[in-house]
Amino acid sequence: MALTTCIATLPLFKCIIESHPPSQPCPLFSSSPPKLNTTHIILLPSSNNSTKWRNSVSFFKGFLSRTKDVESLKMELYETIAPLDRGAQATPDDQQRVDQVARELEAVNSVKEPLKSDLLNGKWELLYTTSQSVLQTQRPKFLRPNGKIYQAINVDTLRAQNMETWPFYNQATANLVPLNSRRVAVKFDFFKIASLIPIKSPGSGRGQLEITYLDEDLRISRGDRGNLFILKMVDPSYRVPL
């Protein structure tokens, strides 16, 4: 997939190429003995304290609402992509729906600088993509990558790795060059056929990758060709070979 001159099935980066206290009643009895009526004086908090209290409540409600929104959006995303065979069975309407939910998640992304976050480190499984270089839907299914596809990133070494499983077991490693706190340039250095035969990259394997959403178990990325990639974390301790 990634190397058109000698490798047809190397995926992913090539195709990737963003209190107040309660008020206390104060009874004040009337000076007239026959009358037992009472008057309650309510002690109100100062305007400053009241404002602080309202702000605190508003922030807390907003935090709970945001957390709920993120989790419900993630669940909606997982349910939407589940029957799509990693994107190979997606219709244009399916792709539009997935993209819409992904954009809603990107809008509430709390990790603004993913390339500075340890959450990015580790081995990620590809759940969905729009990249035909990965999906290879023009081929018979037995000639496509049918097993799981992984992508690993280590931000401390700026290394990345793509790994196919059944039936080809191809791999590719790359150096990452940060362009900003969300986007990297990808420069492949080695490919492996069937995980055994190393081939040095001729220099044509290049691209860009932007991390548009990141948390402990979900990553959304977009490539410089407009492709969407959705991945889940499977091994945060994984190290890419140097």
Side-chain angles (χ1 to χ4, degrees), residues 220-237:
I220 300 175
S221 300
R222 293 183 183 270
D224 53 353
R225 297 183 181 180
N227 286 313
L228 174 64
F229 301 85
I230 298 173
L231 308 94
K232 72 173 182 180
M233 173 59 72
V234 293
D235 184 2
S237 66

Side-chain angles (χ1 to χ4, degrees), residues 15-193:
C15 47
I16 287 177
I17 334 256
E18 178 143 89
S19 70
H20 65 80
S23 302
Q24 301 293 331
C26 297
L28 185 64
F29 289 94
S30 167
S31 59
S32 176
K35 294 181 180 179
L36 299 179
N37 291 337
T38 62
T39 301
H40 291 77
I41 300 176
I42 307 299
L43 299 179
L44 296 175
S46 69
S47 59
N48 287 340
N49 288 339
S50 177
T51 300
K52 291 179 181 178
W53 179 79
R54 287 196 299 268
N55 289 341
S56 297
V57 171
S58 177
F59 173 81
F60 186 66
K61 287 182 177 179
F63 175 78
L64 291 179
S65 175
R66 180 190 173 282
T67 302
K68 181 180 179 181
D69 287 345
V70 169
E71 292 306 316
S72 62
L73 283 171
K74 287 171 65 174
M75 184 62 64
E76 183 179 357
L77 183 65
Y78 291 140
E79 290 175 350
T80 303
I81 64 179
L84 301 181
D85 188 21
R86 207 158 47 207
Q89 301 295 325
T91 66
D93 286 344
D94 292 329
Q95 291 180 343
Q96 185 176 4
R97 178 58 185 154
V98 173
D99 189 78
Q100 177 185 339
V101 181
R103 290 186 184 279
E104 290 180 33
L105 273 168
E106 291 166 340
V108 295
N109 180 30
S110 62
V111 181
K112 304 302 182 183
E113 298 183 317
L115 290 176
K116 298 181 180 180
S117 173
D118 288 337
L119 295 176
L120 188 56
N121 288 319
K123 186 177 183 179
W124 300 81
E125 179 187 346
L126 180 67
L127 300 180
Y128 173 88
T129 184
T130 56
S131 171
Q132 284 300 313
S133 297
V134 174
L135 298 174
Q136 297 287 320
T137 54
Q138 75 278 10
R139 296 183 174 189
K141 190 165 185 178
F142 70 92
L143 291 178
R144 306 177 201 166
N146 291 308
K148 293 181 178 181
I149 296 176
Y150 300 103
Q151 183 181 81
I153 295 178
N154 292 147
V155 293
D156 56 339
T157 58
L158 291 175
R159 292 286 288 165
Q161 183 181 21
N162 295 331
M163 295 161 277
E164 289 181 359
T165 56
W166 176 260
F168 304 112
Y169 294 94
N170 293 326
Q171 295 186 17
T173 54
N175 293 311
L176 305 178
V177 180
L179 302 176
N180 55 39
S181 61
R182 291 162 45 106
R183 181 183 289 270
V184 293
V186 182
K187 298 180 179 180
F188 289 94
D189 54 4
F190 277 96
F191 300 99
K192 275 189 177 181
I193 306 298

